Amino acid sequence: MNLKKKWSPGTIFAFTIVFLGACTMILPFVWMISTSLKEANLVYKIPPEWLPNPVDWKNYIEIWKAADLVTGIFNSCLITAVVLTCSTLTSTMSAFAFSKLRFPGSSVIFLMLMSTMMVPGVVLLVPSFILYSKLGWIDTLLPLIVPVSLCNISNIFFMRQFMTGLPKGYLDAALIDGCSYFKAYWRIFLPMCKPAIVTNGIMLFMGTWNDYMGPMIYTHSPEKRTIQLAIALLSSHYEQQTDIPLVMAASLIALLPVLILFITCQKYFVDSLALTGIKG
């Protein structure tokens, strides 16, 4: 009886739709791997070959000479590490204040912060560039680090939704025991927010690591290039001059950190989204 209910026509249909949707997302990744192992003259072969013959591993060796991936990886790792650390602290502290503390104007301030999410990012490009020019930040990594580290509205909103579902009694008990607000935040609420912090970290890591427009606008010297700019320089304006397998090999190298992070932390990702949706 349970088996019949489990494999009902509706369940089979839903599973089929989900499976087909998953294939549409996996196939481009498989094609990228396949292309990275091909010779350049076999990329546009008709019909296309999913299994490269012969398998050419030299693309993963030549890519380190063709593009300055070492500098790009170092700069991307530096930017991402600082942004993850600082943004986690600022967003969780702000979320704790907005969800557990009551101070004059808290609702108004939060609504003002939320309203900034409705402003398209492209609208702020010119004012931001002028501001960073006056500060002397152009061709440095600061425009890519400071704004996201100090005020990430989406992270603050997500963390506030999660902390709102945590009982306020924990804060009251901590205050009765003599804890300060910061101590209660650091020792009680921050450890309880681990699933949400990991989820925020994954999304923030992907956004920072894959950022292309920011480095392209605010940096121009080779020693300030990120991994995405290094990959973009491999592509020329003329298709016949682009070594597609080399670009695919570099893209796969850039994708691996994101893929590994998501696979290892997907449990926290699902748990935090579920809890935020139920208790938010």
Side-chain angles (χ1 to χ4, degrees):
M1 197 71 177
N2 291 333
L3 289 176
K4 290 183 179 179
K5 184 177 181 180
K6 183 178 180 181
W7 295 104
S8 63
T11 303
I12 296 174
F13 177 76
F15 180 81
T16 304
I17 295 298
V18 172
F19 177 77
L20 292 176
C23 288
T24 61
M25 292 181 282
I26 293 175
L27 287 179
F29 177 71
V30 175
W31 180 252
M32 181 174 67
I33 298 176
S34 174
T35 305
S36 69
L37 297 174
K38 293 179 180 178
E39 297 178 355
N41 60 336
L42 299 178
V43 173
Y44 299 105
K45 186 177 180 180
I46 301 298
E49 293 182 350
W50 286 90
L51 297 177
N53 185 23
V55 176
D56 190 3
W57 293 97
K58 69 178 182 179
N59 294 320
Y60 289 93
I61 300 175
E62 293 181 356
I63 188 59
W64 301 98
K65 301 176 182 178
D68 194 3
L69 287 187
V70 175
T71 301
I73 291 174
F74 174 79
N75 288 331
S76 292
C77 287
L78 177 62
I79 294 169
T80 304
V82 176
V83 167
L84 281 177
T85 303
C86 297
S87 182
T88 298
L89 288 175
T90 56
S91 61
T92 51
M93 285 192 290
S94 300
F96 174 75
F98 284 122
S99 62
K100 299 304 178 187
L101 306 182
R102 291 294 176 263
F103 53 91
S106 61
S107 299
V108 176
I109 295 173
F110 183 72
L111 288 176
M112 291 175 63
L113 288 174
M114 291 299 299
S115 65
T116 61
M117 296 179 66
M118 295 184 289
V119 181
V122 293
V123 176
L124 303 176
L125 286 179
V126 174
S128 298
F129 188 87
I130 295 174
L131 175 62
Y132 298 148
S133 297
K134 292 183 178 180
L135 293 174
W137 287 5
I138 299 300
D139 201 30
T140 69
L141 301 181
L142 292 176
L144 310 176
I145 295 175
V146 176
V148 184
S149 298
L150 295 182
C151 189
N152 192 312
I153 306 303
S154 59
N155 283 8
I156 293 175
F157 172 73
F158 187 86
M159 293 302 306
R160 178 188 177 276
Q161 292 299 98
F162 190 89
M163 286 194 182
T164 300
L166 300 178
K168 193 174 182 297
Y170 289 119
L171 177 61
D172 297 332
L175 296 177
I176 292 174
D177 289 340
C179 284
S180 62
Y181 285 110
F182 182 79
K183 204 170 183 180
Y185 151 78
W186 185 260
R187 292 194 173 183
I188 299 176
F189 286 92
L190 196 61
M192 295 176 66
C193 293
K194 184 178 179 180
I197 292 173
V198 173
T199 301
N200 263 341
I202 294 173
M203 295 188 293
L204 191 59
F205 181 92
M206 290 190 296
T208 306
W209 183 266
N210 294 326
D211 185 20
Y212 171 73
M213 182 173 291
M216 181 182 65
I217 294 174
Y218 302 124
T219 64
H220 52 77
S221 59
E223 59 271 15
K224 297 297 188 301
R225 288 174 186 161
T226 61
I227 181 67
Q228 305 304 329
L229 284 184
I231 295 174
L233 290 175
L234 290 172
S235 301
S236 66
H237 295 288
Y238 302 97
E239 185 177 351
Q240 62 269 23
Q241 297 178 0
T242 302
D243 194 331
I244 300 298
L246 214 59
V247 175
M248 292 296 102
S251 300
L252 185 60
I253 292 173
L255 177 64
L256 284 179
V258 179
L259 190 63
I260 293 172
L261 179 67
F262 183 78
I263 291 175
T264 55
C265 301
Q266 61 178 330
K267 176 181 180 296
Y268 297 105
F269 188 84
V270 175
D271 290 348
S272 64
L273 289 179
L275 290 174
T276 303
I278 294 173
K279 298 182 180 181

